[in-house]
Amino acid sequence: MKVSASFLSSKNIPVDLKKLDNTDVDYIHVDIMDGKFVKNKTMPFSEMRNIYKYTSKRLEVHLMVEDPTEYIKNYAELNTEYIIIHAEIEDPIKYLEMIKSYSIKCGISIKPNTPVSSLVPFLPYIDEVLVMSVEPGEGGQAFIPESEERIKEIRDLLNEYKINAIINVDGGVTNETVSKCRLCDMVVAGSYIVKSEDFQERITSLR
């Protein structure tokens, strides 16, 4: 199981990024919020672009925004492996094609109440499905139990269409809930890691 660490709940981002850089975590999960698609808003890119000063880990950028255009252009400049947009925004395919134009892997994310079948039009474009196991926009929420069944549905869908994309789960992931993610390739953990005394121990407990 790969692990992507979110610093959304961090109280001291530079310090926590340096600590994560000294672990074997696979990715840094960068949550971007515009205050429109979700109610919260994250730091501007002018500040976020400094991530590279504190970590050499590859980035997985999760865009919880209504219009990803400028965000895609900006984050394509960083050490980014995946850029993820939401299935619920207008014209996702346009943005998936834009991400691909930068030779960056594409992800599509769905909220807990979005039907799994809504992913079908995007399957030819994607390298990752990010399953939200909480309502997006805020760290520290509890894992929604029904997410386990949705993960299975998505795995079946990818197999049916012969799509070679990874499944990632984001929200409420801990050593107690990770067993519900056994059909995934990767999990995102935020509070569980950055609010602990031993980042590496927490990362290892999820693998």
Side-chain angles (χ1 to χ4, degrees):
M1 179 78 77
K2 290 189 174 182
V3 178
S4 186
S6 166
F7 55 89
L8 185 63
S9 300
S10 172
K11 300 299 183 192
N12 191 326
I13 292 172
V15 168
D16 286 345
L17 286 175
K18 286 178 183 176
K19 287 169 71 174
L20 286 167
D21 202 49
N22 289 320
T23 70
D24 67 4
V25 79
D26 297 282
Y27 296 95
I28 302 296
H29 187 88
V30 184
D31 289 297
I32 306 299
M33 300 180 282
D34 63 357
K36 298 173 186 174
F37 183 76
V38 292
K39 64 181 180 181
N40 288 330
K41 194 169 184 177
T42 43
M43 292 184 296
F45 181 71
S46 58
E47 293 181 47
M48 291 290 245
R49 70 187 307 165
N50 293 315
I51 288 171
Y52 77 92
K53 294 179 180 178
Y54 310 110
T55 180
S56 59
K57 301 284 187 184
R58 300 302 304 275
L59 306 181
E60 179 192 43
V61 179
H62 178 195
L63 299 180
M64 291 171 271
V65 301
E66 286 186 353
D67 183 355
T69 306
E70 290 304 314
Y71 298 96
I72 292 169
K73 292 176 185 174
N74 287 335
Y75 284 92
E77 297 175 5
L78 303 184
N79 187 23
T80 301
E81 184 163 338
Y82 291 93
I83 294 180
I84 303 156
I85 62 168
H86 267 266
E88 298 87 3
I89 64 171
E90 192 174 330
D91 199 5
I93 289 174
K94 177 174 80 171
Y95 300 112
L96 292 171
E97 289 176 336
M98 184 185 298
I99 295 166
K100 284 205 173 295
S101 74
Y102 288 98
S103 299
I104 290 174
K105 293 176 183 175
C106 293
I108 194 88
S109 182
I110 56 171
K111 293 180 178 182
N113 294 322
T114 299
V116 167
S117 58
S118 68
L119 292 171
V120 172
F122 316 124
L123 295 179
Y125 301 88
I126 62 171
D127 303 288
E128 173 181 344
V129 178
L130 182 67
V131 186
M132 294 306 300
S133 45
V134 298
E135 282 297 329
E138 194 170 331
Q141 299 180 67
F143 186 92
I144 297 171
E146 291 77 14
S147 304
E148 185 174 14
E149 181 57 34
R150 285 168 63 76
I151 294 163
K152 183 181 183 302
E153 277 187 67
I154 291 167
R155 177 60 72 196
D156 290 343
L157 185 72
L158 294 177
N159 289 339
E160 180 186 347
Y161 283 86
K162 297 179 170 60
I163 301 297
N164 185 27
I166 67 168
I167 299 177
N168 192 0
V169 179
D170 183 3
V173 175
T174 68
N175 61 333
E176 294 179 355
T177 58
V178 73
S179 61
K180 300 181 185 300
C181 308
R182 64 190 182 281
L183 292 178
C184 298
D185 306 283
M186 183 153 67
V187 291
V188 177
S191 302
Y192 179 67
I193 297 173
V194 300
K195 290 189 175 180
S196 74
E197 293 299 316
D198 188 335
F199 286 16
Q200 183 61 63
E201 185 275 328
R202 288 292 174 98
I203 292 162
T204 301
S205 74
L206 296 173
R207 293 201 184 278

